[in-house]
Structure formats: structure tokens, C-alpha cells
Amino acid sequence: MTTSSRRVPSIARGLTLGLMTTLLASTALAQTPDYRARLPQDEVIYFLMPDRFDNGDASNDTGGMSGGRLDHGFDPTHEGFYHGGDLAGVERRLDYIQGLGATAIWMAPIFKNKPVQGEPGREFAGSHGYWITDFTRVDPHFGDEAAMRALVEAAHARGMKVYLDIVANHTADVIRYRECPANDCAYRSRADYPFTRRGGVDGEVINNGFNGRNFDRLTDTDYAWTPYVPAGEETVKVPAWLNDPAYYHNRGDTTFRGESSLDGDFAGLDDLMTEHPRVVEGMIEIFGDWIDRYQIDGFRIDTARHVNPEFWQAFVPAMIARAEANGIPNFHIFGEVYDVDPAVTARFTRVDGYPAVLDFAFQYTVTDIVARDVPPDRLARVFASDALYQGGEVGALGLPTFLGNHDMGRIGGFILTAKPDISNDELLQRATLAHAMMMFSRGAPTLYYGDEQGFSGDGGYGSARQDMFETQVASYRDDRIVGGAQPTFSTEAPLYRAIAAMARLRQADVRLRRGLQTVRFAAEAPGLLAVSRRIPDTAGETLIVYNTSTAPITANIEVDAAPADWSSSRGDCPTSATAPASIRVTVPALDYLICSSEGVR
């Protein structure tokens, strides 16, 4: 949104009766021991990369392959190769994850990858998981079916959910184009190279009668470039239908703009023709089977914006139905739509049919506030845009909020980039405040592994994928640690302790998980941001007041008008209102307080 508003109108006011009834009925489920009954907004998600988390079984470090690092991809000294973490390691650390307050684990893709790809001298390994060749099995670097089953069952026994990171946009880089031996074909558009001509609009007629819907007539694949599968890789992809170039766009590398954003290859990764009925059917088969086999609780979907809406309109309902058939009523699906404009991200909930998308607008704005001293009214504008999402403010409750990730970098690193001379104390204060803004504002807070240990990093991608175990990567060892260096997997690290305390507060107060949100005040300079969380038609509210400035601030904050007693959940809160509909608070610098009222005296 481009307009500024100091106060957002009460968001409960615009709810339909049906949405209010659903929300009220669901609040009773929050205390049930059945973890399946938790709604997406009840979760605290912990996002980890299995390869970088913990090495529970050193026998699978090379994935059972012989040769050197360019064969099996294992080199724990290089940030771009496998380091040895696996599913057994994740299972071994469930106490640690649960102790932090996380209730759901989201893992980067664990499917079998092409171990190494890239041109000579530019090789990297598939340790991140996004270069899939076999969509039906666990990558042998991470373990096997038994390891996967053991992890999921151990998590479920604790009441923790398991989310898989999945990919439907592309596969590993296998297909080549005869015209481009260096694998650097530029994108060729549908207008200049239509499906019904070979090599351009004036070329030989092929795929006669193909109109974009009758895919039985799309038999020739050389309309733009001439794709082929190199010798020795003809059957590398599983299921077998994925080996046929007919199910890919074959138009060259994307520019990430316009048509090529949907139909182009990501740096050579084979871009699936997701408008093809066989691809739709095949992907539903593949990922539905993972739900059947392992009782997975949700999917984070990679590169969601690079797939046509019609694919998602078929895929998402099929996954929800598959989960419900397996007794999983609150299957959480959220897409990666890498854009900071809520008008862009919200479209995927209204047109493509996503229940939720990662909240990049929240991430970007909170980073600006805590690292670059942007006024907190910017975040109020983000919240004002919640009306754009399907379901409006209720729908926005399920948006996963986050502070950084494996692609862009970490919140500690963002603060250090903006303030390289910052003191250790202030660095910890700002990082803690950022986590509080995520943990107590609307949405499903998503922790990036290692942030709780104070990892900062030197940037995005490889620089943000540090090892939780003792690292052999030199560039990781010299990172500045938020809160000071600790032993590996320390539960005494300052941020670990702070986040765990936040999670306990969030769990204890249903309004901090399911309450609709009203912005009470948002300063136009570094200062206070106050929000109330309330359950419609239920007495009481929880008020969170953040101070983004470097000085304490005392102010009157509007609250509900009914007389009420107040108590402190965190910080120094008054016991009663200063005047009807107003309480007076003092918030320390770069800190926050949480005040609660149970309603009319």
C-alpha cells in the first residue's frame, strides 16, 4: 500500500459471521493434546537445512557414492558442497528444537538431488535440495526411508509437525540444447518461437493444430531450441515420465521478467511445462504419495510465482484433500512468492488458491525498522494490506512471518551491514526486538535455524547456510555472533533463551496466536508500535508495545473502552487504565512489553 495511516480501523469489524464463528470455535482447540487440531497460526515453525544442521550418521556423508567431491558432492570445507548433516541428526536434536518453543519443523527439500552440477570450475553440490532428480525418495546424503519415517514418527510423538519443502517448477539441470554447448541459451519467447513452428515464426510447421490446450498435438519439442538428454542420463529422473523433454518448456534461461518468469530455466534448471495435464497429474501423484507414506503436516512450495495459476488451482486442493483423507485436517500449505508488495503476494491467495504465502513484506519492513531505523508506521501499512488476502485479516493469521532465510541472509547480518560499528549489547537488543515483533504480531512465526545461536553471516545463499555443528568452513568461523559465541546447540545462548521465553508467552495466551490484530499506534519516526490482539465477541485484549528507538518512551495508548484490570505478561504494565480507553506505559529503549486484560471488571 502507498498511503500511510497512523491507526488501522478495528479489524474485527469487517469479519463475516462465518469467519468469526470459525475463529471462535477453533480457539477451544488450542489446549487440546491432539497436535493435529492446531491451526497454522498456532505453530512456531523452525526452518532448517538438514545438511547444515546435525550429522547423526557419518556413514551417509558421501551418499554411498565413490570418487571425489565432484562425484559425490561432499566437502565440509566448502560452503557450496555437502557437509554431512542428515535426518538422523534432526531427530537427535528434537529436544533442542522443541526446547526453543518450535512446534513445527520445516526442512529444506530432502528429495534425491543431482549431487553436483555446474560448468567446469563453477561446480556446486545439491546440498540445499532444490536440484531434484528423484522426487520419490530421500537423498542418500540425508538417509533413507527408514530415517525419514523415524524422524516424522519421533516428531509426531512429541506433538510436533513436519513440513516438507517441495518443488514443482523445475528439476535438476539435465536437459541440454544442441545449439548451446555451454548451456547458456537465451530465452526465446512464444511470440517469436511459437509451438507450431520450428525455429521461429517463418519455420517449418510442427505440432499442427496445437492451440495451447490439446497437448496430444504437442509432439515435437524443437520449437525454440533443440533439447536432448545427454548420454548416461536418459533415466536419471524418477518417476520415468520426467525424463521426456516434451514435459518441459525448453525455451532457454529465464530473465525473471514477463513470460520468461513462467517458462524459462533457472540457470539451466529444467523448467517443467506445468500447464501440461500430465505434469499436473504427475506432481499430484508424487507429493500426494509423500502425505500417504509419511503423514506429512504441510508443504512449503518453492518458486510459487514461477508456475501458472491453473497448476496451483488443481494442485493445492488435491493436496488438502489428500491430507484430509489421511486424517490431517489443518494441512499447512504456503508458497514462496519472493516480493515485498502485499498486492503481489496476496494475489496468490485469491487467484492461485494458496491458503498462505511467506510474508516477505513483513520480513523486509521489520528488517528496515530494526536495522535501518525506518519508522514503525511502515509496518502498520503492511498490516493494513491484510485485507487483500483471501479471508482478509483472518486469512493473514496463517501467513508465515520470518526475519531471514537461506537465500537472502540472516537478521543479525542485516543489522551488521547497516550498522557495522554497533556494540554487542545493541546488536543483541535489536535482534531480540526483531524476533519479538515476529513472535507476537499476527502470522505464524518462522525461525531460521542458527539465528537462535546468534549466527549472522556475510550475506545470502552460501554465506547464510552455516553449520550448526562444528564447522570446517573458514568463512563461517570468523562470523560475528549475536550475543557472543557459545558451544554448539547451546540452550544458554542469549537469543535461544529469549526466543524460548517468547514462545512460552505465545503459547500461554491464545490471543497471541489466534487473536485478530488492531494497530493502536505507529510512530512516524523511530519509536512506538502498539498492537492489540483480540478474539472477536470475547472479552479481553492483549496489548504489545514495541519501542524501536534508542531511548525509553512513556506514552498513552488507546485500548478498549470498557473498564478492565490489566496485568503484565512481560515488562512493567499498569494495573488499570489511566482513563477510559487509555493506558499509560513506559517502554525501555529497543524493548517491548505485553499487557493483558481479561475484560470488564
Side-chain angles (χ1 to χ4, degrees):
M1 303 289 283
T2 57
T3 57
S4 175
S5 173
R6 173 165 291 208
R7 181 175 300 137
V8 179
S10 172
I11 55 182
R13 204 174 298 141
L15 288 173
T16 66
L17 180 60
L19 288 172
M20 290 174 65
T21 302
T22 299
L23 187 66
L24 286 167
S26 67
T27 57
L29 298 176
Q31 305 307 321
T32 179
D34 180 8
Y35 68 95
R36 297 283 195 205
R38 295 200 305 262
L39 299 178
Q41 55 264 38
D42 290 329
E43 311 299 344
V44 174
I45 304 168
Y46 188 80
F47 170 41
L48 61 86
M49 303 184 71
D51 179 63
R52 305 304 168 91
F53 194 63
D54 190 29
N55 191 345
D57 181 2
S59 71
N60 60 32
D61 286 355
T62 63
M65 299 173 227
S66 58
R69 74 172 193 167
L70 296 185
D71 300 298
H72 50 63
F74 178 67
D75 180 356
T77 69
H78 191 293
E79 68 176 27
F81 282 72
Y82 286 95
H83 290 182
D86 50 33
L87 299 179
V90 178
E91 182 186 356
R92 184 165 71 178
R93 299 295 181 177
L94 288 177
D95 273 347
Y96 170 88
I97 299 171
Q98 194 165 38
L100 184 61
T103 61
I105 301 169
W106 153 26
M107 295 187 292
I110 49 84
F111 315 105
K112 187 176 187 299
N113 265 231
K114 193 171 188 178
V116 178
Q117 66 181 42
E119 300 307 306
R122 299 170 57 194
E123 301 95 345
F124 288 88
S127 58
H128 44 70
Y130 296 97
W131 299 342
I132 304 169
T133 53
D134 187 342
F135 285 78
T136 68
R137 59 179 289 214
V138 173
D139 191 290
H141 291 86
F142 301 149
D144 55 17
E145 182 174 349
M148 179 65 184
R149 193 170 303 282
L151 168 58
V152 176
E153 290 177 355
H156 285 172
R158 295 165 170 265
M160 301 178 74
K161 296 181 180 180
V162 178
Y163 298 163
L164 290 187
D165 200 321
I166 69 171
V167 186
N169 174 68
H170 58 264
T171 71
D173 181 11
V174 174
I175 296 172
R176 296 284 170 144
Y177 305 128
R178 297 200 182 278
E179 297 87 347
C180 308
N183 200 33
D184 57 353
C185 283
Y187 185 79
R188 287 185 165 178
S189 72
R190 295 191 296 261
D192 291 331
Y193 295 87
F195 289 105
T196 54
R197 293 291 186 274
R198 177 174 286 122
V201 292
D202 298 323
E204 173 190 356
V205 174
I206 58 173
N207 301 319
N208 194 26
F210 176 65
N211 60 11
R213 295 182 299 276
N214 50 346
F215 284 88
D216 58 319
R217 292 183 176 270
L218 188 63
T219 56
D220 291 320
T221 59
D222 54 347
Y223 35 82
W225 301 103
T226 308
Y228 72 98
V229 177
E233 295 190 283
E234 295 91 347
T235 61
V236 72
K237 295 181 184 178
V238 180
W241 62 268
L242 286 165
N243 294 296
D244 188 343
Y247 298 125
Y248 299 83
H249 285 118
N250 304 313
R251 290 190 171 276
D253 285 342
T254 182
T255 65
F256 297 98
R257 295 186 300 276
E259 167 197 315
S260 84
S261 184
L262 290 177
D263 292 2
D265 299 337
F266 282 29
L269 295 170
D270 301 345
D271 192 73
L272 281 156
M273 186 179 285
T274 46
E275 60 268 43
H276 198 299
R278 182 66 185 98
V279 176
V280 178
E281 173 191 332
M283 286 293 162
I284 289 173
E285 290 171 353
I286 286 167
F287 293 116
D289 185 61
W290 281 88
I291 299 173
D292 292 344
R293 279 192 286 159
Y294 298 107
Q295 303 293 289
I296 298 302
D297 303 285
F299 289 152
R300 179 267 193 184
I301 302 181
D302 183 63
T303 52
R305 72 180 304 170
H306 303 294
V307 174
N308 57 305
E310 296 80 5
F311 177 89
W312 299 128
Q313 290 162 8
F315 181 86
V316 169
M319 294 302 99
I320 292 173
R322 197 68 157 261
E324 289 176 347
N326 279 275
I328 307 170
N330 294 309
F331 195 78
H332 197 184
I333 295 179
F334 51 100
E336 179 207 26
V337 181
Y338 200 153
D339 201 293
V340 301
D341 184 351
V344 174
T345 54
R347 197 217 76 177
F348 286 81
T349 69
R350 290 193 175 272
V351 177
D352 297 54
Y354 269 88
V357 291
L358 284 160
D359 196 346
F360 279 90
F362 178 92
Q363 185 280 330
Y364 181 79
T365 305
V366 170
T367 298
D368 265 357
I369 290 170
V370 300
R372 306 178 189 107
D373 298 316
V374 167
D377 71 326
R378 277 267 305 274
L379 189 56
R381 294 184 223 171
V382 171
F383 293 146
S385 298
D386 286 353
L388 299 174
Y389 292 94
Q390 185 66 36
E393 292 85 359
V394 172
L397 291 175
L399 300 178
T401 50
F402 65 104
L403 302 175
N405 63 27
H406 57 322
D407 290 332
M408 60 172 51
R410 298 181 179 275
I411 186 64
F414 300 143
I415 297 170
L416 286 170
T417 298
K419 299 178 180 295
D421 299 323
I422 192 172
S423 71
N424 291 334
D425 286 346
E426 185 175 341
L427 174 61
L428 177 59
Q429 283 181 299
R430 288 181 179 273
T432 303
L433 180 62
H435 279 90
M437 296 177 85
M438 176 178 69
M439 292 291 284
F440 301 122
S441 300
R442 66 96 181 104
T446 303
L447 305 165
Y448 182 39
Y449 87 97
D451 279 1
E452 76 280 3
Q453 291 297 323
F455 290 1
S456 58
D458 299 321
Y461 291 94
S463 297
R465 300 172 180 181
Q466 297 95 324
D467 302 313
M468 284 285 285
F469 47 90
E470 196 67 40
T471 188
Q472 298 181 49
V473 179
S475 62
Y476 293 166
R477 288 199 297 267
D478 65 6
D479 286 347
R480 187 169 171 184
I481 301 298
V482 182
Q486 298 282 333
T488 58
F489 293 98
S490 171
T491 58
E492 296 301 314
L495 276 171
Y496 184 100
R497 295 178 64 183
I499 294 167
M502 293 176 200
R504 289 191 293 270
L505 290 173
R506 192 173 185 276
Q507 176 57 35
D509 185 348
V510 66
R511 292 189 291 257
L512 292 175
R513 291 177 278 116
R514 301 187 178 188
L516 297 179
Q517 179 173 276
T518 302
V519 174
R520 296 295 196 177
F521 178 80
E524 297 175 359
L528 297 187
L529 172 67
V531 299
S532 283
R533 305 289 304 273
R534 294 173 292 179
I535 305 294
D537 291 344
T538 301
E541 69 180 291
T542 299
L543 177 72
I544 310 101
V545 188
Y546 309 100
N547 182 359
T548 71
S549 79
T550 56
I553 296 178
T554 299
N556 295 316
I557 304 294
E558 182 183 20
V559 292
D560 286 345
D565 294 323
W566 287 83
S567 62
S568 174
S569 298
R570 203 261 184 192
D572 186 14
C573 297
T575 58
S576 61
T578 305
S582 177
I583 67 170
R584 190 168 183 82
V585 297
T586 298
V587 190
L590 298 173
D591 205 349
Y592 66 99
L593 35 105
I594 302 177
C595 309
S596 299
S597 163
E598 299 310 317
V600 178
R601 290 202 271 279

